[in-house]
Amino acid sequence: MTEVFLHGLHVIAVLQGEHGEGVAQIMHPGVRRSCVGCDLLVMRIKSLWVQVVAEHICENKPTGQLYLLLMIPVALVVIFNYASYGGIRMVFMDYKPAKGYAGSKWVGWATFQKVFKDKDFIRALKSSIVFNLLDLAVGFPMPIILALILNELRFPRFKKVTQTILYLPHFLSWVIVGSVAYQMFRPTTGMVNVFLMNAGIIQNGIPFLTEKWHWAVTYLLIGVWQGMGWGTIIYLAAITGISGELYEAAMIDGANRWQRMWNIT
């Protein structure tokens, strides 16, 4: 509001330069009005002041809307990330939904001791670490490679269609992805095995989902397939921010497409 007040004083100063002592008489109520057009001048000052305030409100209206939009994700974070912390105490209780927190027995660290003493705990921990490392090794470079390939395409329409097809799996739940994978990779009636057997490439179905090594590779590749499209969009957005002048300068210096991609992109 300080800016509005200063802007209003500026308007009055401008009017004073136009109307002389009339404005001075209006600004000092004790002075008798001697100007016939003082009433009109008062109306003009009021209208301009209202216009200044209205412009100030309109200029700051988008800020209020942004704060309103910001409240939605903040509320989601508070509700699902902080308000749910009270339920963490369930891990220290023999929790029974029918009895609630008050009626459930407090067991302390007994649940953790049971998990750590389980004979399959170490094997499960090793498998989790291995899968996370493999997912990082395969899943991290794939979006970058795919973004580089898409960036080199020279057909905009084909590029847009390809981007859409690639990032759609990101919006599918794991339930849908698992169902699709089961229909495609079943040992005898899966689409992949049926196609390979009809083509004469294999005699018996490949156990994609039943043998541990085949299942590990299948699980890893399905996870990469689901997430690489979204990562590609992010990297592609960063690539489009590179100045075209760099590529033009490299072309003048004789750099081919591979050199431009490797040294600039």
Side-chain angles (χ1 to χ4, degrees):
M1 293 304 295
T2 303
E3 296 177 0
V4 177
F5 180 75
L6 294 176
H7 194 176
L9 292 180
H10 175 71
V11 171
I12 294 175
V14 172
L15 291 177
Q16 188 172 6
E18 296 177 357
H19 297 276
E21 60 178 4
V23 175
Q25 293 175 354
I26 295 170
M27 296 300 295
H28 300 280
V31 180
R32 182 182 176 183
R33 296 180 184 176
S34 59
C35 177
V36 177
C38 282
D39 292 336
L40 295 176
L41 188 57
V42 170
M43 294 177 62
R44 184 178 178 187
I45 291 176
K46 288 182 178 179
S47 63
L48 288 175
W49 191 283
V50 171
Q51 182 180 355
V52 170
V53 175
E55 290 176 357
H56 177 78
I57 295 174
C58 291
E59 290 176 357
N60 289 272
K61 187 176 181 181
T63 305
Q65 293 176 349
L66 292 177
Y67 280 118
L68 183 62
L69 290 175
L70 183 63
M71 290 175 62
I72 299 175
V74 169
L76 292 176
V77 171
V78 171
I79 293 173
F80 293 102
N81 290 46
Y82 294 97
S84 60
Y85 279 178
I88 297 178
R89 53 182 170 170
M90 283 193 297
V91 300
F92 302 102
M93 305 171 65
D94 184 14
Y95 183 73
K96 306 294 182 183
K99 296 182 180 180
Y101 292 111
S104 299
K105 182 181 178 181
W106 185 270
V107 296
W109 297 95
T111 304
F112 293 93
Q113 293 175 357
K114 181 180 178 180
V115 172
F116 293 146
K117 290 180 180 179
D118 192 282
K119 61 180 182 179
D120 294 326
F121 173 75
I122 299 298
R123 185 173 64 176
L125 180 62
K126 290 181 179 179
S127 299
S128 299
I129 294 174
V130 170
F131 273 112
N132 278 277
L133 292 177
L134 289 175
D135 182 67
L136 182 63
V138 179
F140 177 74
M142 283 303 296
I144 300 176
I145 296 172
L146 196 57
L148 292 173
I149 295 174
L150 289 176
N151 186 59
E152 296 299 322
L153 294 178
R154 293 295 178 262
F155 302 98
R157 184 173 299 179
F158 177 76
K159 185 176 180 179
K160 291 180 180 179
V161 173
T162 305
Q163 289 178 11
T164 304
I165 294 174
L166 287 173
Y167 77 74
L168 276 179
H170 174 77
F171 299 98
L172 300 178
S173 68
W174 272 105
V175 176
I176 298 176
V177 173
S179 300
V180 173
Y182 179 73
Q183 295 296 328
M184 293 183 63
F185 298 109
R186 282 186 295 185
T188 56
T189 59
M191 295 175 59
V192 175
N193 280 321
V194 169
F195 173 78
L196 294 176
M197 287 188 290
N198 291 337
I201 300 176
I202 59 175
Q203 298 297 327
N204 299 316
I206 301 175
F208 290 107
L209 304 177
T210 56
E211 198 272 328
K212 63 176 183 179
W213 297 112
H214 288 88
W215 178 85
V217 175
T218 304
Y219 171 78
L220 182 64
L221 294 180
I222 289 175
V224 172
W225 166 77
Q226 187 193 22
M228 68 179 181
W230 182 256
T232 299
I233 299 300
I234 297 175
Y235 287 115
L236 195 60
I239 291 174
T240 54
I242 300 176
S243 175
E245 296 178 356
L246 297 177
Y247 294 99
E248 294 175 359
M251 291 176 63
I252 295 174
D253 292 338
N256 56 32
R257 178 174 294 183
W258 171 258
Q259 292 172 333
R260 295 196 302 269
M261 183 182 67
W262 181 260
N263 294 288
I264 299 177
T265 309

